[in-house]
Amino acid sequence: MKVGVIGSGVMGTGIVQVLSQNNYNVVLRDINKKNLEKGLERISKAFDKLVSKEKISLEDKNLFISNIIFTEN
C-alpha cells in the first residue's frame, strides 16, 4: 500500500517514520527541497536512536528509509 503525507515538519516526518516502519511505501511531499532534506535528516536521526537502543538493526533502518519517496511534486 502506498500512502502520501504532505509536509515534512515534525508531525509529517513522525507519521512517515511510523508508516515506513510498518512496511508502507510512503510519499513525502513538501514545496521546499530544503524542508525535504531536513525531513530526511530528522527521520534518519530518529532511526539512529532506535538502532543505538538496539530496537532495530541498521539493515532495518536502511529498509525503512528505502520505503520513503521524497518529492516536491
Side-chain angles (χ1 to χ4, degrees), residues 4-73:
V5 176
I6 298 172
S8 58
V10 174
M11 185 177 285
T13 55
I15 292 168
V16 168
Q17 178 191 345
V18 171
L19 290 170
S20 68
Q21 279 181 265
N22 287 284
N23 296 313
Y24 285 91
N25 293 315
V26 186
V27 178
L28 177 58
R29 182 188 183 280
D30 202 296
I31 59 172
N32 186 315
K33 185 174 182 172
K34 200 172 214 178
N35 289 345
L36 286 170
E37 291 169 357
K38 287 180 183 178
L40 171 58
E41 185 178 319
R42 190 177 295 118
I43 292 168
S44 185
K45 283 182 181 180
F47 284 137
D48 286 340
K49 286 181 184 178
L50 294 175
V51 170
S52 71
K53 293 179 182 179
E54 298 182 355
K55 301 219 181 232
I56 65 172
S57 68
L58 185 57
E59 292 80 19
D60 287 337
K61 172 193 170 186
N62 294 330
L63 173 66
F64 298 151
I65 289 178
S66 74
N67 288 337
I68 306 167
I69 298 170
F70 297 85
T71 185
E72 295 176 73
N73 299 318

